Amino acid sequence: MKPQPEPRPGASRWFPPTATAPDATAQLFCLPHAGAGAATYRDWQSTIGGDVEVVPVELPGRGARFAEPLVTSATENVEALAGPLLERADKPFALFGHSMGALLAYELAHELVRLGRPPVHLVVSGYAAPQLSPRSRGGQVYTLSDDRLVQHIKALQGTAGEVLDHPELLELLLPVIRADYQVCETHEFTERPPLPVPVTALGGTEDPAGDDEALRGWRELTDAEFRVATFLGGHFFLHEHLDDVAGIVRRAAISQPSAI
């Protein structure tokens, strides 16, 4: 049997044990997309390398937290996560989020700024800048019928086909996806001073959330350095371009924005 990683200082239900990076000089907290959990980042540590510790975030209602109630509010998620994250953070850290994770990472960055411990960088992926109309993010997906919701998920090509074709697995997955879409589609943008944090926005060329306007809208949300990087592909472009994406977020986490 493969040995399990030892728990880390500050570990909690938010941060499952992962591969170690004992020589890391920075940390990267990774928030998942809708329907996903911490396991979506299981390969990132080996790809990014040992100088950045990858810390996937496990949200309620998935993974080892499957029995916990699902959360349908970005604010509720962020308020509950901020304290444990600051306990877990023992090095300079960056935030990364894909799709729903990008929205959570953005709101979390504001909360951490308020608490006096901002991230060194915010990397958002596959998500239109949140001040834009919700229509640019696809409308009210969380209210669709089960059949139409499955069709929507299949079109995004980010969930294994065997899961979508397996009724028992689908029965477990759909409530999580609905809750996560509700997080995004009921989120109300709050006017605040721009983040004093560099922001990098990533997107796929065939993803509506990754078009030029949607990504460059993030420019308005920071008064620090801002960059955009696009990749061939759809909403889950990062699966096909993991090495390049990992290089970008690694440089962000070790505070080398000019090299991105």
Side-chain angles (χ1 to χ4, degrees):
M1 180 181 294
K2 185 178 179 181
Q4 295 299 307
E6 291 294 325
R8 316 273 189 88
S12 76
R13 67 189 189 279
W14 291 94
F15 312 111
T18 56
T20 59
D23 298 325
T25 59
Q27 292 170 302
L28 177 71
F29 289 90
C30 298
L31 292 109
H33 61 83
T40 197
Y41 295 108
R42 61 180 173 267
D43 298 328
W44 278 46
Q45 187 65 71
S46 60
T47 304
I48 284 180
D51 54 352
V52 175
E53 178 191 4
V54 177
V55 187
V57 173
E58 191 77 278
L59 298 175
R62 63 212 79 200
R65 305 183 67 183
F66 181 77
E68 298 181 35
L70 292 162
V71 176
T72 58
S73 160
T75 299
E76 186 177 344
N77 266 316
V78 165
E79 289 179 350
L81 171 58
L85 184 148
L86 292 179
E87 291 179 6
R88 181 67 177 79
D90 55 8
K91 303 174 181 69
F93 63 89
L95 302 177
F96 173 85
H98 179 71
S99 196
M100 175 192 71
L103 174 64
L104 295 180
Y106 166 72
E107 291 294 342
L108 182 59
H110 268 291
E111 179 65 6
L112 296 174
V113 168
R114 187 186 72 81
L115 294 172
R117 290 199 49 197
V120 299
H121 208 112
L122 169 63
V123 184
V124 292
S125 171
Y127 200 81
Q131 77 275 22
L132 301 179
S133 166
R135 186 173 300 173
S136 69
R137 302 195 292 271
Q140 298 300 307
V141 173
Y142 81 95
T143 62
L144 294 176
S145 67
D146 285 355
D147 288 344
R148 292 186 63 195
L149 182 57
V150 170
Q151 292 173 10
H152 176 83
I153 299 167
K154 286 182 176 179
L156 294 176
Q157 300 180 336
T159 303
E162 59 267 25
V163 174
L164 298 179
D165 294 331
H166 197 295
E168 288 80 8
L169 294 177
L170 197 57
E171 185 178 357
L172 298 175
L173 178 63
L174 286 182
V176 180
I177 291 179
R178 282 191 192 283
D180 290 351
Y181 268 96
Q182 188 173 353
V183 166
C184 299
E185 294 173 345
T186 61
H187 177 261
E188 295 186 5
F189 178 73
T190 302
E191 291 284 352
R192 286 164 289 193
L195 287 167
V197 174
V199 174
T200 296
L202 312 179
T205 55
E206 299 172 26
D207 181 8
D211 68 24
D212 190 65
E213 179 185 1
L215 292 181
R216 293 195 179 278
W218 288 96
R219 163 74 278 184
E220 302 171 15
L221 304 181
T222 176
D223 59 10
E225 188 167 6
F226 173 74
R227 291 178 181 273
V228 169
T230 55
F231 299 85
L232 292 175
H235 188 61
F236 287 98
F237 66 90
L238 67 173
H239 295 333
E240 291 83 38
H241 301 281
L242 182 56
D243 287 346
D244 292 332
V245 171
I248 288 174
V249 296
R250 174 190 167 274
R251 290 190 291 272
I254 60 177
S255 302
Q256 292 183 347
S258 62
I260 295 172

